[in-house]
mmCIF file with all atom_site columns, all heavy atoms in Angstrom:
data_model
loop_
_atom_site.group_PDB
_atom_site.id
_atom_site.type_symbol
_atom_site.label_atom_id
_atom_site.label_alt_id
_atom_site.label_comp_id
_atom_site.label_asym_id
_atom_site.label_entity_id
_atom_site.label_seq_id
_atom_site.pdbx_PDB_ins_code
_atom_site.Cartn_x
_atom_site.Cartn_y
_atom_site.Cartn_z
_atom_site.occupancy
_atom_site.B_iso_or_equiv
_atom_site.pdbx_formal_charge
_atom_site.auth_seq_id
_atom_site.auth_comp_id
_atom_site.auth_asym_id
_atom_site.auth_atom_id
_atom_site.pdbx_PDB_model_num
ATOM   1   N N   . GLN A 1 30  ? -108.016 -115.664 -156.872 1.00 95.00 ? 30  GLN A N   1
ATOM   2   C CA  . GLN A 1 30  ? -107.765 -117.020 -156.958 1.00 95.00 ? 30  GLN A CA  1
ATOM   3   C C   . GLN A 1 30  ? -106.697 -117.547 -156.061 1.00 95.00 ? 30  GLN A C   1
ATOM   4   O O   . GLN A 1 30  ? -105.599 -116.990 -156.089 1.00 95.00 ? 30  GLN A O   1
ATOM   5   C CB  . GLN A 1 30  ? -107.502 -117.428 -158.441 1.00 95.00 ? 30  GLN A CB  1
ATOM   6   C CG  . GLN A 1 30  ? -108.141 -118.657 -158.884 1.00 95.00 ? 30  GLN A CG  1
ATOM   7   C CD  . GLN A 1 30  ? -107.724 -119.038 -160.239 1.00 95.00 ? 30  GLN A CD  1
ATOM   8   O OE1 . GLN A 1 30  ? -107.864 -118.146 -161.136 1.00 95.00 ? 30  GLN A OE1 1
ATOM   9   N NE2 . GLN A 1 30  ? -107.379 -120.294 -160.553 1.00 95.00 ? 30  GLN A NE2 1
ATOM   10  N N   . ARG A 1 33  ? -102.947 -117.565 -157.116 1.00 97.00 ? 33  ARG A N   1
ATOM   11  C CA  . ARG A 1 33  ? -102.733 -116.274 -157.946 1.00 97.00 ? 33  ARG A CA  1
ATOM   12  C C   . ARG A 1 33  ? -102.511 -115.117 -157.106 1.00 97.00 ? 33  ARG A C   1
ATOM   13  O O   . ARG A 1 33  ? -101.770 -114.194 -157.530 1.00 97.00 ? 33  ARG A O   1
ATOM   14  C CB  . ARG A 1 33  ? -104.014 -116.159 -158.708 1.00 97.00 ? 33  ARG A CB  1
ATOM   15  C CG  . ARG A 1 33  ? -104.266 -117.075 -159.835 1.00 97.00 ? 33  ARG A CG  1
ATOM   16  C CD  . ARG A 1 33  ? -103.415 -116.832 -161.120 1.00 97.00 ? 33  ARG A CD  1
ATOM   17  N NE  . ARG A 1 33  ? -103.897 -117.695 -162.137 1.00 97.00 ? 33  ARG A NE  1
ATOM   18  C CZ  . ARG A 1 33  ? -103.612 -118.996 -162.301 1.00 97.00 ? 33  ARG A CZ  1
ATOM   19  N NH1 . ARG A 1 33  ? -102.863 -119.575 -161.475 1.00 97.00 ? 33  ARG A NH1 1
ATOM   20  N NH2 . ARG A 1 33  ? -104.167 -119.672 -163.305 1.00 97.00 ? 33  ARG A NH2 1
ATOM   21  N N   . TYR A 1 37  ? -99.623  -112.975 -158.363 1.00 98.00 ? 37  TYR A N   1
ATOM   22  C CA  . TYR A 1 37  ? -99.808  -111.603 -159.032 1.00 98.00 ? 37  TYR A CA  1
ATOM   23  C C   . TYR A 1 37  ? -98.959  -110.588 -158.174 1.00 98.00 ? 37  TYR A C   1
ATOM   24  O O   . TYR A 1 37  ? -98.374  -109.712 -158.621 1.00 98.00 ? 37  TYR A O   1
ATOM   25  C CB  . TYR A 1 37  ? -101.269 -111.127 -158.798 1.00 98.00 ? 37  TYR A CB  1
ATOM   26  C CG  . TYR A 1 37  ? -102.255 -111.906 -159.652 1.00 98.00 ? 37  TYR A CG  1
ATOM   27  C CD1 . TYR A 1 37  ? -103.550 -111.971 -159.414 1.00 98.00 ? 37  TYR A CD1 1
ATOM   28  C CD2 . TYR A 1 37  ? -101.803 -112.461 -160.998 1.00 98.00 ? 37  TYR A CD2 1
ATOM   29  C CE1 . TYR A 1 37  ? -104.445 -112.626 -160.265 1.00 98.00 ? 37  TYR A CE1 1
ATOM   30  C CE2 . TYR A 1 37  ? -102.688 -113.211 -161.778 1.00 98.00 ? 37  TYR A CE2 1
ATOM   31  C CZ  . TYR A 1 37  ? -104.032 -113.242 -161.446 1.00 98.00 ? 37  TYR A CZ  1
ATOM   32  O OH  . TYR A 1 37  ? -104.886 -113.881 -162.224 1.00 98.00 ? 37  TYR A OH  1
ATOM   33  N N   . ASP A 1 54  ? -98.915  -108.660 -171.218 1.00 98.00 ? 54  ASP A N   1
ATOM   34  C CA  . ASP A 1 54  ? -99.382  -109.796 -170.527 1.00 98.00 ? 54  ASP A CA  1
ATOM   35  C C   . ASP A 1 54  ? -99.771  -110.856 -171.490 1.00 98.00 ? 54  ASP A C   1
ATOM   36  O O   . ASP A 1 54  ? -100.715 -110.603 -172.194 1.00 98.00 ? 54  ASP A O   1
ATOM   37  C CB  . ASP A 1 54  ? -100.592 -109.498 -169.535 1.00 98.00 ? 54  ASP A CB  1
ATOM   38  C CG  . ASP A 1 54  ? -100.814 -110.597 -168.572 1.00 98.00 ? 54  ASP A CG  1
ATOM   39  O OD1 . ASP A 1 54  ? -99.901  -111.126 -167.797 1.00 98.00 ? 54  ASP A OD1 1
ATOM   40  O OD2 . ASP A 1 54  ? -101.955 -111.091 -168.494 1.00 98.00 ? 54  ASP A OD2 1
ATOM   41  N N   . ILE A 1 55  ? -99.166  -112.130 -171.462 1.00 98.00 ? 55  ILE A N   1
ATOM   42  C CA  . ILE A 1 55  ? -99.577  -113.053 -172.323 1.00 98.00 ? 55  ILE A CA  1
ATOM   43  C C   . ILE A 1 55  ? -100.465 -114.153 -171.612 1.00 98.00 ? 55  ILE A C   1
ATOM   44  O O   . ILE A 1 55  ? -100.086 -114.419 -170.468 1.00 98.00 ? 55  ILE A O   1
ATOM   45  C CB  . ILE A 1 55  ? -98.329  -113.722 -173.091 1.00 98.00 ? 55  ILE A CB  1
ATOM   46  C CG1 . ILE A 1 55  ? -97.268  -114.341 -172.204 1.00 98.00 ? 55  ILE A CG1 1
ATOM   47  C CG2 . ILE A 1 55  ? -97.608  -112.645 -173.948 1.00 98.00 ? 55  ILE A CG2 1
ATOM   48  C CD1 . ILE A 1 55  ? -96.069  -114.864 -172.862 1.00 98.00 ? 55  ILE A CD1 1
ATOM   49  N N   . GLY A 1 56  ? -101.350 -114.622 -172.365 1.00 97.00 ? 56  GLY A N   1
ATOM   50  C CA  . GLY A 1 56  ? -102.227 -115.673 -171.708 1.00 97.00 ? 56  GLY A CA  1
ATOM   51  C C   . GLY A 1 56  ? -103.118 -115.111 -170.495 1.00 97.00 ? 56  GLY A C   1
ATOM   52  O O   . GLY A 1 56  ? -103.262 -115.715 -169.508 1.00 97.00 ? 56  GLY A O   1
ATOM   53  N N   . THR A 1 57  ? -103.665 -113.833 -170.801 1.00 98.00 ? 57  THR A N   1
ATOM   54  C CA  . THR A 1 57  ? -104.472 -113.253 -169.709 1.00 98.00 ? 57  THR A CA  1
ATOM   55  C C   . THR A 1 57  ? -105.720 -113.997 -169.484 1.00 98.00 ? 57  THR A C   1
ATOM   56  O O   . THR A 1 57  ? -106.149 -114.074 -168.373 1.00 98.00 ? 57  THR A O   1
ATOM   57  C CB  . THR A 1 57  ? -104.813 -111.873 -170.139 1.00 98.00 ? 57  THR A CB  1
ATOM   58  O OG1 . THR A 1 57  ? -103.672 -111.204 -170.507 1.00 98.00 ? 57  THR A OG1 1
ATOM   59  C CG2 . THR A 1 57  ? -105.512 -111.030 -169.098 1.00 98.00 ? 57  THR A CG2 1
ATOM   60  N N   . GLY A 1 58  ? -106.253 -114.745 -170.432 1.00 96.00 ? 58  GLY A N   1
ATOM   61  C CA  . GLY A 1 58  ? -107.548 -115.410 -170.181 1.00 96.00 ? 58  GLY A CA  1
ATOM   62  C C   . GLY A 1 58  ? -108.696 -114.527 -169.781 1.00 96.00 ? 58  GLY A C   1
ATOM   63  O O   . GLY A 1 58  ? -108.657 -113.377 -169.931 1.00 96.00 ? 58  GLY A O   1
ATOM   64  N N   . SER A 1 61  ? -108.129 -113.507 -165.204 1.00 97.00 ? 61  SER A N   1
ATOM   65  C CA  . SER A 1 61  ? -107.003 -112.832 -164.695 1.00 97.00 ? 61  SER A CA  1
ATOM   66  C C   . SER A 1 61  ? -107.350 -111.436 -164.364 1.00 97.00 ? 61  SER A C   1
ATOM   67  O O   . SER A 1 61  ? -108.023 -110.690 -165.155 1.00 97.00 ? 61  SER A O   1
ATOM   68  C CB  . SER A 1 61  ? -105.817 -112.817 -165.553 1.00 97.00 ? 61  SER A CB  1
ATOM   69  O OG  . SER A 1 61  ? -104.733 -111.993 -164.977 1.00 97.00 ? 61  SER A OG  1
ATOM   70  N N   . ASP A 1 80  ? -104.072 -113.124 -175.478 1.00 97.00 ? 80  ASP A N   1
ATOM   71  C CA  . ASP A 1 80  ? -104.297 -114.538 -175.229 1.00 97.00 ? 80  ASP A CA  1
ATOM   72  C C   . ASP A 1 80  ? -104.650 -115.143 -176.521 1.00 97.00 ? 80  ASP A C   1
ATOM   73  O O   . ASP A 1 80  ? -104.938 -114.458 -177.429 1.00 97.00 ? 80  ASP A O   1
ATOM   74  C CB  . ASP A 1 80  ? -105.589 -114.695 -174.311 1.00 97.00 ? 80  ASP A CB  1
ATOM   75  C CG  . ASP A 1 80  ? -105.726 -116.150 -173.647 1.00 97.00 ? 80  ASP A CG  1
ATOM   76  O OD1 . ASP A 1 80  ? -105.999 -117.094 -174.395 1.00 97.00 ? 80  ASP A OD1 1
ATOM   77  O OD2 . ASP A 1 80  ? -105.345 -116.267 -172.502 1.00 97.00 ? 80  ASP A OD2 1
ATOM   78  N N   . ILE A 1 81  ? -104.398 -116.467 -176.609 1.00 97.00 ? 81  ILE A N   1
ATOM   79  C CA  . ILE A 1 81  ? -104.585 -117.229 -177.740 1.00 97.00 ? 81  ILE A CA  1
ATOM   80  C C   . ILE A 1 81  ? -106.190 -117.347 -177.971 1.00 97.00 ? 81  ILE A C   1
ATOM   81  O O   . ILE A 1 81  ? -106.623 -117.535 -179.157 1.00 97.00 ? 81  ILE A O   1
ATOM   82  C CB  . ILE A 1 81  ? -103.829 -118.492 -177.890 1.00 97.00 ? 81  ILE A CB  1
ATOM   83  C CG1 . ILE A 1 81  ? -103.722 -119.037 -179.285 1.00 97.00 ? 81  ILE A CG1 1
ATOM   84  C CG2 . ILE A 1 81  ? -104.548 -119.644 -177.005 1.00 97.00 ? 81  ILE A CG2 1
ATOM   85  C CD1 . ILE A 1 81  ? -102.660 -120.105 -179.535 1.00 97.00 ? 81  ILE A CD1 1
ATOM   86  N N   . GLY A 1 82  ? -106.820 -117.316 -176.873 1.00 95.00 ? 82  GLY A N   1
ATOM   87  C CA  . GLY A 1 82  ? -108.379 -117.534 -176.905 1.00 95.00 ? 82  GLY A CA  1
ATOM   88  C C   . GLY A 1 82  ? -109.042 -116.277 -177.084 1.00 95.00 ? 82  GLY A C   1
ATOM   89  O O   . GLY A 1 82  ? -108.775 -115.208 -176.604 1.00 95.00 ? 82  GLY A O   1
ATOM   90  N N   . TYR A 1 84  ? -111.847 -115.728 -175.651 1.00 91.00 ? 84  TYR A N   1
ATOM   91  C CA  . TYR A 1 84  ? -112.556 -115.431 -174.442 1.00 91.00 ? 84  TYR A CA  1
ATOM   92  C C   . TYR A 1 84  ? -111.749 -114.177 -173.763 1.00 91.00 ? 84  TYR A C   1
ATOM   93  O O   . TYR A 1 84  ? -112.319 -113.649 -172.742 1.00 91.00 ? 84  TYR A O   1
ATOM   94  C CB  . TYR A 1 84  ? -112.578 -116.499 -173.625 1.00 91.00 ? 84  TYR A CB  1
ATOM   95  C CG  . TYR A 1 84  ? -111.467 -117.491 -173.584 1.00 91.00 ? 84  TYR A CG  1
ATOM   96  C CD1 . TYR A 1 84  ? -110.139 -117.257 -173.156 1.00 91.00 ? 84  TYR A CD1 1
ATOM   97  C CD2 . TYR A 1 84  ? -111.680 -118.747 -174.149 1.00 91.00 ? 84  TYR A CD2 1
ATOM   98  C CE1 . TYR A 1 84  ? -109.272 -118.121 -173.212 1.00 91.00 ? 84  TYR A CE1 1
ATOM   99  C CE2 . TYR A 1 84  ? -110.639 -119.699 -174.405 1.00 91.00 ? 84  TYR A CE2 1
ATOM   100 C CZ  . TYR A 1 84  ? -109.399 -119.352 -173.973 1.00 91.00 ? 84  TYR A CZ  1
ATOM   101 O OH  . TYR A 1 84  ? -108.337 -120.330 -174.054 1.00 91.00 ? 84  TYR A OH  1
ATOM   102 N N   . GLN A 1 112 ? -103.266 -113.229 -179.442 1.00 98.00 ? 112 GLN A N   1
ATOM   103 C CA  . GLN A 1 112 ? -101.863 -113.377 -179.859 1.00 98.00 ? 112 GLN A CA  1
ATOM   104 C C   . GLN A 1 112 ? -101.464 -114.770 -179.387 1.00 98.00 ? 112 GLN A C   1
ATOM   105 O O   . GLN A 1 112 ? -101.777 -115.168 -178.278 1.00 98.00 ? 112 GLN A O   1
ATOM   106 C CB  . GLN A 1 112 ? -100.972 -112.355 -179.163 1.00 98.00 ? 112 GLN A CB  1
ATOM   107 C CG  . GLN A 1 112 ? -101.168 -110.930 -179.578 1.00 98.00 ? 112 GLN A CG  1
ATOM   108 C CD  . GLN A 1 112 ? -100.199 -110.677 -180.811 1.00 98.00 ? 112 GLN A CD  1
ATOM   109 O OE1 . GLN A 1 112 ? -99.283  -111.340 -181.101 1.00 98.00 ? 112 GLN A OE1 1
ATOM   110 N NE2 . GLN A 1 112 ? -100.438 -109.556 -181.512 1.00 98.00 ? 112 GLN A NE2 1
ATOM   111 N N   . ASP A 1 113 ? -100.605 -115.437 -180.173 1.00 98.00 ? 113 ASP A N   1
ATOM   112 C CA  . ASP A 1 113 ? -100.073 -116.743 -179.763 1.00 98.00 ? 113 ASP A CA  1
ATOM   113 C C   . ASP A 1 113 ? -98.532  -116.360 -179.177 1.00 98.00 ? 113 ASP A C   1
ATOM   114 O O   . ASP A 1 113 ? -97.819  -115.725 -179.842 1.00 98.00 ? 113 ASP A O   1
ATOM   115 C CB  . ASP A 1 113 ? -100.005 -117.631 -180.963 1.00 98.00 ? 113 ASP A CB  1
ATOM   116 C CG  . ASP A 1 113 ? -99.183  -118.911 -180.680 1.00 98.00 ? 113 ASP A CG  1
ATOM   117 O OD1 . ASP A 1 113 ? -98.648  -119.077 -179.615 1.00 98.00 ? 113 ASP A OD1 1
ATOM   118 O OD2 . ASP A 1 113 ? -99.191  -119.748 -181.629 1.00 98.00 ? 113 ASP A OD2 1
ATOM   119 N N   . ALA A 1 114 ? -98.587  -116.805 -177.906 1.00 98.00 ? 114 ALA A N   1
ATOM   120 C CA  . ALA A 1 114 ? -97.282  -116.470 -177.187 1.00 98.00 ? 114 ALA A CA  1
ATOM   121 C C   . ALA A 1 114 ? -96.030  -117.012 -177.889 1.00 98.00 ? 114 ALA A C   1
ATOM   122 O O   . ALA A 1 114 ? -94.972  -116.363 -177.794 1.00 98.00 ? 114 ALA A O   1
ATOM   123 C CB  . ALA A 1 114 ? -97.317  -117.093 -175.903 1.00 98.00 ? 114 ALA A CB  1
ATOM   124 N N   . THR A 1 115 ? -96.051  -117.930 -178.739 1.00 98.00 ? 115 THR A N   1
ATOM   125 C CA  . THR A 1 115 ? -94.935  -118.532 -179.510 1.00 98.00 ? 115 THR A CA  1
ATOM   126 C C   . THR A 1 115 ? -94.665  -117.777 -180.773 1.00 98.00 ? 115 THR A C   1
ATOM   127 O O   . THR A 1 115 ? -93.689  -118.014 -181.515 1.00 98.00 ? 115 THR A O   1
ATOM   128 C CB  . THR A 1 115 ? -95.099  -119.955 -179.680 1.00 98.00 ? 115 THR A CB  1
ATOM   129 O OG1 . THR A 1 115 ? -96.129  -120.216 -180.529 1.00 98.00 ? 115 THR A OG1 1
ATOM   130 C CG2 . THR A 1 115 ? -95.348  -120.809 -178.540 1.00 98.00 ? 115 THR A CG2 1
ATOM   131 N N   . ILE A 1 130 ? -98.546  -115.290 -166.461 1.00 98.00 ? 130 ILE A N   1
ATOM   132 C CA  . ILE A 1 130 ? -98.870  -115.884 -165.314 1.00 98.00 ? 130 ILE A CA  1
ATOM   133 C C   . ILE A 1 130 ? -99.681  -117.149 -165.442 1.00 98.00 ? 130 ILE A C   1
ATOM   134 O O   . ILE A 1 130 ? -100.717 -117.171 -166.089 1.00 98.00 ? 130 ILE A O   1
ATOM   135 C CB  . ILE A 1 130 ? -99.890  -114.926 -164.439 1.00 98.00 ? 130 ILE A CB  1
ATOM   136 C CG1 . ILE A 1 130 ? -99.303  -113.515 -164.290 1.00 98.00 ? 130 ILE A CG1 1
ATOM   137 C CG2 . ILE A 1 130 ? -100.222 -115.477 -163.061 1.00 98.00 ? 130 ILE A CG2 1
ATOM   138 C CD1 . ILE A 1 130 ? -98.059  -113.328 -163.478 1.00 98.00 ? 130 ILE A CD1 1
ATOM   139 N N   . SER A 1 131 ? -99.083  -118.217 -165.123 1.00 98.00 ? 131 SER A N   1
ATOM   140 C CA  . SER A 1 131 ? -99.624  -119.653 -165.225 1.00 98.00 ? 131 SER A CA  1
ATOM   141 C C   . SER A 1 131 ? -100.206 -119.750 -166.743 1.00 98.00 ? 131 SER A C   1
ATOM   142 O O   . SER A 1 131 ? -101.322 -120.013 -166.949 1.00 98.00 ? 131 SER A O   1
ATOM   143 C CB  . SER A 1 131 ? -100.802 -119.766 -164.252 1.00 98.00 ? 131 SER A CB  1
ATOM   144 O OG  . SER A 1 131 ? -101.261 -121.042 -164.339 1.00 98.00 ? 131 SER A OG  1
ATOM   145 N N   . THR A 1 132 ? -99.373  -119.382 -167.716 1.00 98.00 ? 132 THR A N   1
ATOM   146 C CA  . THR A 1 132 ? -99.723  -119.523 -169.098 1.00 98.00 ? 132 THR A CA  1
ATOM   147 C C   . THR A 1 132 ? -98.852  -120.465 -169.931 1.00 98.00 ? 132 THR A C   1
ATOM   148 O O   . THR A 1 132 ? -99.422  -121.472 -170.574 1.00 98.00 ? 132 THR A O   1
ATOM   149 C CB  . THR A 1 132 ? -99.644  -118.060 -169.681 1.00 98.00 ? 132 THR A CB  1
ATOM   150 O OG1 . THR A 1 132 ? -100.793 -117.367 -169.171 1.00 98.00 ? 132 THR A OG1 1
ATOM   151 C CG2 . THR A 1 132 ? -99.716  -118.194 -171.197 1.00 98.00 ? 132 THR A CG2 1
ATOM   152 N N   . HIS A 1 135 ? -99.056  -124.311 -170.424 1.00 98.00 ? 135 HIS A N   1
ATOM   153 C CA  . HIS A 1 135 ? -100.162 -124.886 -171.153 1.00 98.00 ? 135 HIS A CA  1
ATOM   154 C C   . HIS A 1 135 ? -99.810  -125.020 -172.609 1.00 98.00 ? 135 HIS A C   1
ATOM   155 O O   . HIS A 1 135 ? -100.685 -125.419 -173.462 1.00 98.00 ? 135 HIS A O   1
ATOM   156 C CB  . HIS A 1 135 ? -101.392 -124.111 -170.966 1.00 98.00 ? 135 HIS A CB  1
ATOM   157 C CG  . HIS A 1 135 ? -101.909 -123.974 -169.626 1.00 98.00 ? 135 HIS A CG  1
ATOM   158 N ND1 . HIS A 1 135 ? -102.367 -125.158 -168.896 1.00 98.00 ? 135 HIS A ND1 1
ATOM   159 C CD2 . HIS A 1 135 ? -101.976 -123.106 -168.651 1.00 98.00 ? 135 HIS A CD2 1
ATOM   160 C CE1 . HIS A 1 135 ? -102.702 -124.711 -167.726 1.00 98.00 ? 135 HIS A CE1 1
ATOM   161 N NE2 . HIS A 1 135 ? -102.386 -123.515 -167.555 1.00 98.00 ? 135 HIS A NE2 1
ATOM   162 N N   . ILE A 1 136 ? -98.606  -124.598 -173.155 1.00 97.00 ? 136 ILE A N   1
ATOM   163 C CA  . ILE A 1 136 ? -98.289  -124.846 -174.528 1.00 97.00 ? 136 ILE A CA  1
ATOM   164 C C   . ILE A 1 136 ? -97.615  -126.037 -174.681 1.00 97.00 ? 136 ILE A C   1
ATOM   165 O O   . ILE A 1 136 ? -96.499  -126.355 -174.042 1.00 97.00 ? 136 ILE A O   1
ATOM   166 C CB  . ILE A 1 136 ? -97.412  -123.496 -174.879 1.00 97.00 ? 136 ILE A CB  1
ATOM   167 C CG1 . ILE A 1 136 ? -97.992  -122.240 -174.493 1.00 97.00 ? 136 ILE A CG1 1
ATOM   168 C CG2 . ILE A 1 136 ? -97.286  -123.494 -176.499 1.00 97.00 ? 136 ILE A CG2 1
ATOM   169 C CD1 . ILE A 1 136 ? -97.203  -121.003 -174.745 1.00 97.00 ? 136 ILE A CD1 1
ATOM   170 N N   . TYR A 1 180 ? -108.099 -125.694 -173.322 1.00 89.00 ? 180 TYR A N   1
ATOM   171 C CA  . TYR A 1 180 ? -108.004 -124.391 -174.225 1.00 89.00 ? 180 TYR A CA  1
ATOM   172 C C   . TYR A 1 180 ? -108.371 -124.701 -175.662 1.00 89.00 ? 180 TYR A C   1
ATOM   173 O O   . TYR A 1 180 ? -109.539 -125.176 -175.858 1.00 89.00 ? 180 TYR A O   1
ATOM   174 C CB  . TYR A 1 180 ? -106.605 -123.893 -173.994 1.00 89.00 ? 180 TYR A CB  1
ATOM   175 C CG  . TYR A 1 180 ? -106.372 -123.612 -172.488 1.00 89.00 ? 180 TYR A CG  1
ATOM   176 C CD1 . TYR A 1 180 ? -105.318 -124.412 -171.805 1.00 89.00 ? 180 TYR A CD1 1
ATOM   177 C CD2 . TYR A 1 180 ? -107.229 -122.790 -171.881 1.00 89.00 ? 180 TYR A CD2 1
ATOM   178 C CE1 . TYR A 1 180 ? -105.320 -124.135 -170.482 1.00 89.00 ? 180 TYR A CE1 1
ATOM   179 C CE2 . TYR A 1 180 ? -107.071 -122.494 -170.432 1.00 89.00 ? 180 TYR A CE2 1
ATOM   180 C CZ  . TYR A 1 180 ? -106.084 -123.254 -169.814 1.00 89.00 ? 180 TYR A CZ  1
ATOM   181 O OH  . TYR A 1 180 ? -105.950 -122.985 -168.335 1.00 89.00 ? 180 TYR A OH  1
HETATM 182 C C1  . LIG B 2 .   ? -104.494 -120.841 -166.566 1.00 74.58 ? 1   LIG B C1  1
HETATM 183 S S1  . LIG B 2 .   ? -105.165 -119.871 -167.931 1.00 74.58 ? 1   LIG B S1  1
HETATM 184 C C2  . LIG B 2 .   ? -105.150 -118.144 -167.555 1.00 74.58 ? 1   LIG B C2  1
HETATM 185 C C3  . LIG B 2 .   ? -104.098 -117.651 -166.681 1.00 74.58 ? 1   LIG B C3  1
HETATM 186 C C4  . LIG B 2 .   ? -104.114 -116.194 -166.398 1.00 74.58 ? 1   LIG B C4  1
HETATM 187 N N1  . LIG B 2 .   ? -102.965 -115.538 -166.866 1.00 74.58 ? 1   LIG B N1  1
HETATM 188 C C5  . LIG B 2 .   ? -104.391 -115.917 -164.864 1.00 74.58 ? 1   LIG B C5  1
HETATM 189 O O1  . LIG B 2 .   ? -103.667 -115.131 -164.277 1.00 74.58 ? 1   LIG B O1  1
HETATM 190 O O2  . LIG B 2 .   ? -105.292 -116.571 -164.308 1.00 74.58 ? 1   LIG B O2  1
HETATM 191 C C6  . LIG B 2 .   ? -103.965 -119.969 -169.185 1.00 74.58 ? 1   LIG B C6  1
HETATM 192 C C7  . LIG B 2 .   ? -104.171 -119.061 -170.451 1.00 74.58 ? 1   LIG B C7  1
HETATM 193 O O3  . LIG B 2 .   ? -103.140 -119.412 -171.359 1.00 74.58 ? 1   LIG B O3  1
HETATM 194 C C8  . LIG B 2 .   ? -103.702 -119.273 -172.638 1.00 74.58 ? 1   LIG B C8  1
HETATM 195 N N2  . LIG B 2 .   ? -102.757 -119.840 -173.571 1.00 74.58 ? 1   LIG B N2  1
HETATM 196 C C9  . LIG B 2 .   ? -102.590 -121.115 -173.816 1.00 74.58 ? 1   LIG B C9  1
HETATM 197 N N3  . LIG B 2 .   ? -101.755 -121.281 -174.889 1.00 74.58 ? 1   LIG B N3  1
HETATM 198 C C10 . LIG B 2 .   ? -101.315 -120.029 -175.408 1.00 74.58 ? 1   LIG B C10 1
HETATM 199 C C11 . LIG B 2 .   ? -100.524 -119.607 -176.331 1.00 74.58 ? 1   LIG B C11 1
HETATM 200 N N4  . LIG B 2 .   ? -99.821  -120.304 -177.180 1.00 74.58 ? 1   LIG B N4  1
HETATM 201 N N5  . LIG B 2 .   ? -100.487 -118.226 -176.463 1.00 74.58 ? 1   LIG B N5  1
HETATM 202 C C12 . LIG B 2 .   ? -101.153 -117.334 -175.663 1.00 74.58 ? 1   LIG B C12 1
HETATM 203 N N6  . LIG B 2 .   ? -102.009 -117.851 -174.722 1.00 74.58 ? 1   LIG B N6  1
HETATM 204 C C13 . LIG B 2 .   ? -102.124 -119.161 -174.488 1.00 74.58 ? 1   LIG B C13 1
HETATM 205 C C14 . LIG B 2 .   ? -105.005 -119.910 -172.509 1.00 74.58 ? 1   LIG B C14 1
HETATM 206 O O4  . LIG B 2 .   ? -105.871 -119.611 -173.579 1.00 74.58 ? 1   LIG B O4  1
HETATM 207 C C15 . LIG B 2 .   ? -105.469 -119.525 -171.204 1.00 74.58 ? 1   LIG B C15 1
HETATM 208 O O5  . LIG B 2 .   ? -106.245 -118.387 -171.136 1.00 74.58 ? 1   LIG B O5  1
#
Side-chain angles (χ1 to χ4, degrees):
Q30 210 185 321
R33 292 281 192 276
Y37 294 158
D54 188 55
I55 61 179
T57 306
S61 175
D80 196 283
I81 201 165
Y84 34 75
Q112 289 273 344
D113 179 348
T115 63
I130 311 292
S131 191
T132 289
H135 296 294
I136 312 179
Y180 303 113

